[in-house]
Amino acid sequence: MRILLLGGTWFLGKAVAKNALARGWRVTTFTRGRSGTDVPGTEPMRGDRTSPDDLRKLAESGPWDAVIDTSSSDLPPQEVLLATRALRDRAERWVHISTVSVYAGWPHEPLTEESALLECPPDADATFGYTGPDGSPTEYGFQKAGGERAVIEAFGERSVILRPGVILGPGEYVGRLPWWLGRAHRGGRILAPAPADRRIQPVDVRDVARFALDQAAGDGSGAFNVAHPEGITFGDFVAACLEVTGGAGRPVWAAPEQLVRHEVTQWTELPLWRTHCGVWSVDSGKAAAAGLRCRPVRETIADTWSWLQADGRPVAHPRWAKHGIDPERESKILSDLGVDAAS
């Protein structure tokens, strides 16, 4: 099996490359060479996927059994379309990493693959779409929906669309799980979002990689939600962070209305917390039936801490700095709640 990986030097792309090599596959990666390092054993090619000339040279080095695109998250649909058109006669299949943000009802409604999508043309530029006043829908969601349409226009039934929610694990560059691990390690009273028994559905990067490769080797098509089918409660999530880090902290569970009253920014100041009822109601049954297997979230937490302790250094990314509440602000909120942050 010979695959072309758009991306391949950090987080999901690196996990895909490592898993593919472990299967004995031949892996070509296509990157600009500006971030991350090449996985030993891959066949790296340098170029800009937004350049027609670079794509032409890339196409000449094919053919491939499949393309797996992990690098289109910040690209407008027209750039996805450019790549799919350049490669559609050089690859048998295209596996595209999208997002649950393409759904018109996210994060307000429970989601299945039959849920309505945001409307965006496949040739849209970076100006298409908007972000709603409450943070949904998002311009990002519109753009990714257009990217999906670009893939389907070029590859049709030879395409597979994967729609993850939150991906965690070793190599994470966003900073969600690393922040919680660092906060647990620091100890003291920890501001945590109630209810503690609310289940969340983060999926391990290595499980997404394995599923993407399985789809590349298969003959199916269509879209799959990729979320942890069992998930973990927020209480167990925080407890696992405390356990693996040896932290002596104790969570203080603040009700959503208390956090909103203190203007805690959802999704970033307390990573993974959002009040919308549909954010963690993503049905991944179709993916599970197609072979998605998710390790326990506790294992993801432990392995991420081990990676960080071994001097794990994610690719520098501006999203990292956006995650986590300032310690002084956290202490003030805890004090307003009648809690001594140091106790």
Side-chain angles (χ1 to χ4, degrees):
M1 183 87 174
R2 187 186 185 201
I3 65 168
L4 169 62
L5 182 53
L6 300 183
T9 59
W10 48 300
F11 202 38
L12 179 57
K14 180 167 284 190
V16 172
K18 288 181 176 180
N19 192 305
L21 291 171
R23 298 178 186 217
W25 294 6
R26 185 176 172 186
V27 182
T28 302
T29 59
F30 184 65
T31 70
R32 293 176 297 177
R34 298 178 183 175
S35 58
T37 57
D38 297 313
V39 175
T42 60
E43 302 172 3
M45 291 190 64
R46 299 289 183 247
D48 186 340
R49 61 175 292 169
T50 68
S51 164
D53 288 341
D54 287 357
L55 286 172
R56 190 176 306 111
K57 293 176 184 177
L58 174 64
E60 290 171 356
S61 69
W64 298 274
D65 296 298
V67 175
I68 301 179
D69 186 0
T70 67
S71 68
S72 66
S73 61
D74 297 324
L75 294 178
Q78 63 183 11
E79 302 293 0
V80 178
L81 187 62
L82 182 69
T84 56
R85 286 176 172 174
L87 299 170
R88 62 184 167 191
D89 295 327
R90 306 297 289 164
E92 292 300 317
R93 295 171 62 72
W94 186 289
V95 178
H96 191 72
I97 309 301
S98 185
T99 169
V100 293
S101 295
V102 299
Y103 289 111
W106 192 88
H108 301 281
E109 304 169 1
L111 299 174
T112 72
E113 288 83 358
E114 303 304 315
S115 300
L117 302 178
L118 296 170
E119 292 292 334
C120 179
D123 58 351
D125 63 19
T127 66
F128 191 93
Y130 64 92
T131 296
D134 70 340
S136 63
T138 61
E139 182 178 307
Y140 170 73
F142 280 103
Q143 294 277 312
K144 292 293 282 184
E148 288 189 8
R149 292 190 61 185
V151 171
I152 294 169
E153 177 182 298
F155 277 79
E157 292 298 313
R158 297 184 293 140
S159 63
V160 176
I161 308 293
L162 305 188
R163 296 174 181 150
V166 170
I167 303 176
L168 303 178
E172 184 197 336
Y173 64 91
V174 176
R176 296 183 176 110
L177 178 51
W179 182 84
W180 277 108
L181 287 165
R183 181 64 192 88
H185 184 61
R186 194 169 82 238
R189 295 288 188 167
I190 301 171
L191 183 65
D197 62 355
R198 186 180 188 188
R199 301 196 77 81
I200 59 178
Q201 298 176 278
V203 63
D204 192 289
V205 63
R206 295 162 293 184
D207 297 331
V208 180
R210 182 175 60 244
F211 186 61
L213 289 165
D214 289 347
Q215 293 305 306
D219 57 6
S221 63
F224 296 90
N225 293 334
V226 183
H228 203 294
E230 291 87 29
I232 189 172
T233 67
F234 224 117
D236 286 344
F237 174 85
V238 174
C241 289
L242 287 164
E243 179 182 348
V244 303
T245 63
R250 294 180 61 187
V252 176
W253 297 98
E257 56 269 21
Q258 293 174 313
L259 297 174
V260 170
R261 185 169 65 250
H262 285 88
E263 299 182 341
V264 175
T265 305
Q266 298 186 41
W267 211 234
T268 53
E269 280 197 287
L270 290 180
L272 307 180
W273 169 65
R274 202 163 183 172
T275 57
H276 305 79
C277 65
V279 67
W280 297 115
S281 297
V282 179
D283 185 347
S284 59
K286 180 180 176 184
L292 173 67
R293 297 294 179 265
C294 293
R295 70 198 67 204
V297 179
R298 286 178 176 271
E299 182 178 328
T300 302
I301 294 169
D303 290 350
T304 302
W305 180 244
S306 295
W307 164 70
L308 289 168
Q309 290 301 101
D311 199 27
R313 296 179 182 273
V315 170
H317 198 282
R319 293 179 70 184
W320 185 282
K322 296 179 180 179
H323 288 84
I325 190 167
D326 178 80
E328 290 186 8
R329 176 162 154 73
E330 181 187 26
S331 294
K332 184 180 184 308
I333 294 173
L334 288 170
S335 177
D336 290 346
L337 295 174
V339 177
D340 180 357
S343 63

